[in-house]
Amino acid sequence: MTALTKKIRKPNWKASMLILLLCLLALLAAYTFLFLKHDADAVDLNSQLMPMSFDHPFGTDHLGRDVLTRILLGAQLTVGYAFMALLAAIAIGLPIGLIAGYKGGRLERILMRIADTFLAFPDTIVAIVLSGLLGPGIENLLLAIVFVKWVNYARLVRSTVVSERQKEYISMAKINGLGDGQIIRKHLFPHIIGNVLVLASLDLGKIILLISSLSYIGLGAQPPAPEWGAMLNDARPYFQSMPALMIYPGLAIVTVVLISNVLGDYLRDKFDVKKEVQS
Amino acid sequence: MSVLEVKKLTVGTKSQPFVKGISFEVQRGEWLAVVGQSGSGKSMAASAIGGLLKPNLSAGGMVRFNGNDILEMPSKKMREIRGKGIAYIFQDYQSSFTPFLTIGKHFDEYQRTHLSMKKSQRIENTQQALLSVGLAAELSTRYPFQLSGGQLQRAAIALALLMKPDLVIADEPTTALDSISSFRILQLLAKLKEESGCAILYITHDLRHAANYADNILVMKEGHIVEQGEQAQILACPEHTYTRSLIEAVPILKQTSNL
């Protein structure tokens, strides 16, 4: 644990760069309206499938829409939705894991068996079933992702709390008359939040891929939403004449997933006390 | 008047008791040593007194602290007793403090919960407490991993005595320390006990510790009390064979002439 404490206080420049890059991309996506002159949904049938030009740096798609605008707005959609799903999954999983781990006993067993049941569903299947039941759409897709992902957080938080709960500083806090809320907030939460951050950053990439791949088969974002996976799907009939139409959204997905995975790996190494001791 | 009165205390899971109906009393200002080998149930009995049992264990019988039954106390009242009345010192000094909080934060949080006083007063109390156990006041800004084992255990004692509790339960506080550090810790405990007048329930497997400082000794084996009485009497003429074997098991350094 000592290594953990030290590392929290001394962030490495590599991680700072990554976070900076992520923030930069987020800012770019959030403030597209400042520098983009095209409307993402404006159809212009006179300028279909145009190659890159000064007016359209990434060219236009089969309906004459500006691809750069759609990619940047797609970042808002794809990454934004992934964040929403992630936050919802954490918001459900974290308290459940916390209660289960801290209280223990029968409550823990009940909560964890429920979580195990959810774990039995593969995420893609749940998404397809939910789309079948509720109709395709990004909301139902997010619902499916939250439905599957919260379990990971509940299990992670529970196992962290269970292993920390046995340490004597928790007994010490109890015997010093601190309340449960205070113990959880001050003495347990910093442990939990580190682990949750690592899992979340790894999950972000997975969720983006899931949203994009399900949008690609038509179950996620619906046209004309400029979601990256949906854009890939739109570009499919033209991939011989205009391969760039598929390359841009594909590259966008790869970039964001890569950043989130590298960040996740980095955080995982930083919080891994054993690795820290060896080095 | 007795600070702690334990009657027919049983601790265990539903199917198996580990502490099988023990009764004893701790008087005000008394140092009572509970001696027994690992697994005799001494630590478990100590956890039951503070209400620190794991969820799968339950305690039966009666534990009275200053006349109030602890086992049936509402949690709010219990929290106050835990803060001000009973304090613990644990064996594992490495994890006695939350790793990401400074030593001073622990003292501060503890005082803020139970007392209402100004921040400057709390800081002064913290520094005073650290000084009283022979630590430098600057240590309050350090993290637990920056302190040595002996320093941590001293800080733990300072924290335990901060609220001037009536009873300090020391659960093998010196077991994980080297012999010189543990000797100093014992000396310190004895000194602070004299100063503050608190009672000490000292749990140990090492009879040597009991021999030097305890007023009374209580010997436990397999969840039962096999013998209890005054220190001198137990050490001089133990009645139970188990006590005798414990005394014989104490290693003695002999001077050898042929070195």
Side-chain angles (χ1 to χ4, degrees), chain A residues 220-234:
Chain A
Q222 297 301 303
E227 202 282 323
W228 292 338
M231 285 173 73
L232 275 175
N233 189 24
D234 286 345

Side-chain angles (χ1 to χ4, degrees), chain B residues 49 51 54 61 80 128 149 152 190 218 237 259:
Chain B
I49 292 167
K54 299 212 167 76
E80 198 166 321
Q128 208 59 50
L152 277 176
L218 189 158
C237 44
L259 265 178

Side-chain angles (χ1 to χ4, degrees), chain B residues 8 51 56 61 75 93 168 192 197 239:
Chain B
K8 291 189 176 141
N56 59 334
S75 62
Y93 54 80
V168 175
L192 292 171
E239 284 171 15

Side-chain angles (χ1 to χ4, degrees), chain A residues 43-62:
Chain A
V43 175
D44 182 1
L45 292 176
N46 290 324
S47 52
Q48 284 169 288
L49 299 172
M50 298 242 290
M52 50 176 75
S53 63
F54 197 72
D55 196 26
H56 303 288
F58 284 7
T60 59
D61 68 1
H62 63 292

Side-chain angles (χ1 to χ4, degrees), chain A residues 9-46:
Chain A
R9 271 152 220 292
K10 272 190 211 159
N12 184 295
W13 65 271
K14 255 195 265 173
S16 320
M17 290 293 285
L18 277 173
I19 292 165
L20 203 70
L21 193 62
L22 209 61
C23 290
L24 214 68
L25 282 178
L27 275 179
L28 202 65
Y31 291 99
T32 42
F33 60 89
L34 286 181
F35 53 88
L36 289 178
K37 45 186 186 287
H38 298 287
D39 185 348
D41 298 335
V43 175
D44 182 1
L45 292 176
N46 290 324

